[in-house]
Amino acid sequence: MAASSRSAREAKRRIQQMEAKRELRRDQEQRRKRDNLIAAGAGTAAVVLAVVLQLTAFAGNPTEDEFAATEAGLTNPSASATPSAPATNGSNIPAADTAAGKTFTGDLVLNGKPLGVELNGTTAPQAAAVFKSLSDEGFYNGKSCHRLTTSDAFGVLQCGSANGDGQGDPNYTWGPLENTPADNSYPAGTIAVARSGNNAYGNGTQFFIVYKDTNIPADSAGGYTVVGKVTSGLDVVTGIAAAGITPGSSDTDGAPVQAVTIDSFSLK
């Protein structure tokens, strides 16, 4: 009877050990599945963040995707639509008739080096009115040129973001598009208005200087308003471009290696 009792106890102990091992394996499997879900969630969040950053880092168009579409011979590149703003300007936007028929000339000083500029209030009265008003207010003083593209046929320096991060001011948007090139060609020296994609009333405070002949396909809203031109000093921009861009997700589109500050923007 004693031997039988010991055998029974030993068998019970082995069963308990087996059950404990099974429970441990179940716990490990549950933890593995949970960890996989967390990892997948983190991966999804990372992808979403990357997309958001890509869409917002250069909120003012043109974008590198548009240039890639040009290289591929497409005329209507796909792009994430931007919610349409009302097709009217707010009271904080200067009226187009304040610039209609006028030509404004002056200097845009980058890193202490002046560019002569001319804005055309005949072909782009609304844009000229906006940039004349902003320059008169001293808005651009101390702002940066946050974006540089260096592709063979896509060379622009983009400036005027309120916070220097490429984001637009949602309280300062306007339209319509004016003087957009029918052939999507922007010659070297062009000064054009950056805007949010697919939005004719998505213009803001940002502009881009074309430092070499560039082709930018129109999106669903159209092209980009050409407000004026550089009349002297374009070599200042080509020198900035020659220094290249900071390493990032693109080899030809990013922040300039040489930090660029707008010392002043004066028009008369």
Side-chain angles (χ1 to χ4, degrees), residues 177-219:
L177 301 181
E178 304 170 301
N179 196 32
T180 57
D183 60 357
N184 298 325
S185 294
Y186 299 77
T190 297
I191 301 174
V193 184
R195 61 174 171 80
S196 54
N198 305 301
N199 188 351
Y201 276 74
N203 301 308
T205 63
Q206 295 183 52
F207 60 93
F208 59 93
I209 302 168
V210 181
Y211 65 88
K212 60 183 173 181
D213 293 349
T214 292
N215 187 277
I216 308 169
D219 62 16

Side-chain angles (χ1 to χ4, degrees), residues 4-18:
S4 177
S5 178
R6 284 197 298 272
S7 296
R9 286 197 299 272
E10 182 64 22
K12 183 177 181 180
R13 184 182 64 81
R14 287 197 299 271
I15 291 171
Q16 289 173 336
Q17 288 177 334
M18 292 174 62

Side-chain angles (χ1 to χ4, degrees), residues 19-32:
E19 289 295 334
K21 289 179 180 178
R22 290 195 188 99
E23 184 65 25
L24 178 61
R25 284 196 294 272
R26 280 196 294 269
D27 288 344
Q28 290 174 334
E29 180 66 17
Q30 288 175 349
R31 281 197 300 271
R32 184 183 65 80

Side-chain angles (χ1 to χ4, degrees), residues 35-51:
D35 290 344
N36 286 344
L37 286 173
I38 292 172
T44 301
V47 170
V48 170
L49 178 60
V51 170

Side-chain angles (χ1 to χ4, degrees), residues 57-63 106-111 113-119 124 126-128 130-136 138-149 154-169 172 174 186 189-196 202-211 216 224-230 234 236-237 240 256 260-267:
F58 302 117
N61 284 338
T63 67
D107 292 313
L108 173 65
V109 183
L110 304 179
N111 292 350
K113 299 177 181 179
L115 285 72
V117 298
E118 179 180 291
L119 303 190
Q126 182 60 76
V130 166
F131 287 104
K132 179 65 164 65
S133 173
L134 291 172
S135 67
D136 287 350
F139 171 84
Y140 290 108
N141 299 350
K143 297 295 190 293
S144 67
C145 296
H146 63 279
R147 179 191 182 195
L148 175 68
T149 69
F154 186 23
V156 305
L157 178 68
Q158 188 168 323
C159 313
S161 168
N163 298 318
D165 57 2
Q167 294 299 298
D169 181 350
Y172 198 92
W174 52 276
Y186 299 77
T190 297
I191 301 174
V193 184
R195 61 174 171 80
S196 54
N203 301 308
T205 63
Q206 295 183 52
F207 60 93
F208 59 93
I209 302 168
V210 181
Y211 65 88
I216 308 169
Y224 301 87
T225 295
V226 174
V227 64
K229 62 184 178 181
V230 175
L234 189 59
V236 173
V237 182
I240 292 167
V260 184
T261 300
I262 300 175
D263 299 306
S264 63
F265 189 6
S266 58
L267 294 167

Side-chain angles (χ1 to χ4, degrees), residues 53-78:
L53 288 175
Q54 185 170 354
L55 290 175
T56 60
F58 302 117
N61 284 338
T63 67
E64 183 70 9
D65 287 342
E66 289 172 326
F67 172 64
T70 302
E71 289 189 315
L74 303 177
T75 56
N76 294 300
S78 61

